[in-house]
Amino acid sequence: MSPRQAPMNIDPDLLARTKGFLDPAEGAWLYRLAREASRLGPCLEIGSYCGKSTLYLGAGCRANGGILYALDHHGGSEEQQPGQPYCDPDLVDPRTGRVDTFAHFRRTVASAGLTETVVPVVAPSAVAARQWRTPLALVFIDGGHTFAAAFTDYNAWTAHLLPGGALAIHDIFETPAEGGQAPRHVYELARASGLFEDRGRVKTLGVLQRRSAGQLPPDLPR
Ligand code: MG
């Protein structure tokens, strides 16, 4: 291992220059989760943006020769549109005036040597989910933060989680002053469902683990 490589085998310079909203401690946990889950099956992230979380999850999957599906329409979420508080002018395509993160994302994945690991799915979440049949070992929800978007992601994708698979939810804030509340509501809904074991929190990242049929409370359908 060269001294410039982090133990996770992710180039720290690439991590530093990749745009995104992910704390390094959260990223390190995503790496460990993907490394564990990818022995079970493919992983999915919802909301790739420019590929920062993809670097962590992809590196974890790569360690097992696994696959990470990276789902994003790449048009930016609501708060990232031109004129909105989280708009980054670098990501606005001057020809169309619209946010387009896909070129940045592809560059990140290629720079990290993750093209044999990461499968981009460029579509709205609900469209990608419509005929999805592949069981998943990890679902990371970090897409649109409206209630409608967050609940759609939860309903559409957690149904595909394998027993023992991980559900990770980003941007869980306790109060509206800290951030939007939709991810926290989805997290609490999942915790109350009886379908998951609680694996705890690191900063704004909450992780749950899908119970197998034998572990479910008796009043839940198998
Ligand atoms: Mg996020």
Side-chain angles (χ1 to χ4, degrees):
M1 187 188 297
S2 88
R4 293 193 61 72
Q5 281 177 327
M8 294 178 288
N9 198 16
I10 307 171
D11 176 355
D13 294 334
L14 177 60
L15 264 183
R17 70 172 182 265
T18 301
K19 294 174 188 288
F21 311 91
L22 189 70
D23 183 277
E26 297 172 336
W29 199 17
L30 288 179
Y31 168 81
R32 290 199 303 276
L33 287 170
R35 191 162 178 144
E36 180 184 316
S38 57
R39 288 179 302 176
L40 204 63
C43 300
L44 169 78
E45 74 169 353
I46 305 160
S48 301
Y49 194 55
C50 297
K52 203 177 194 81
S53 54
T54 318
L55 290 174
Y56 291 101
L57 290 166
C61 290
R62 178 171 55 192
N64 292 310
I67 287 288
L68 173 67
Y69 296 107
L71 170 60
D72 199 310
H73 51 60
H74 285 288
S77 55
E78 301 78 5
E79 71 282 9
Q80 295 161 352
Q81 298 308 309
Q84 297 299 309
Y86 285 92
C87 182
D88 182 336
D90 291 352
L91 302 178
V92 177
D93 182 336
R95 288 166 300 180
T96 62
R98 305 172 94 144
V99 174
D100 187 352
T101 53
F102 189 44
H104 296 259
F105 171 81
R106 290 190 73 188
R107 213 158 35 234
T108 303
V109 168
S111 299
L114 285 169
T115 50
E116 302 289 313
T117 301
V118 174
V119 178
V121 181
V122 185
S125 173
V127 175
R130 200 182 296 153
Q131 296 205 333
W132 190 271
R133 296 289 181 272
T134 303
L136 298 165
L138 180 150
V139 171
F140 173 49
I141 299 182
D142 192 24
H145 285 11
T146 63
F147 282 92
F151 279 98
T152 295
D153 290 340
Y154 174 75
N155 288 326
W157 294 105
T158 57
H160 298 288
L161 261 182
L162 287 160
L167 170 62
I169 300 174
H170 195 228
D171 297 315
I172 299 167
F173 296 108
E174 315 311 322
T175 65
E178 297 167 275
Q181 297 291 288
R184 183 173 64 77
H185 282 276
V186 169
Y187 176 61
E188 286 174 0
L189 179 81
R191 287 172 82 202
S193 71
L195 294 168
F196 302 95
E197 295 281 351
D198 196 339
R199 295 270 308 261
R201 288 265 302 268
V202 168
K203 304 208 170 189
T204 74
L205 179 65
V207 176
L208 305 169
Q209 187 167 23
R210 183 72 167 85
R211 290 179 160 133
S212 59
Q215 298 170 310
L216 291 177
D219 53 331
L220 281 175
R222 295 298 188 265

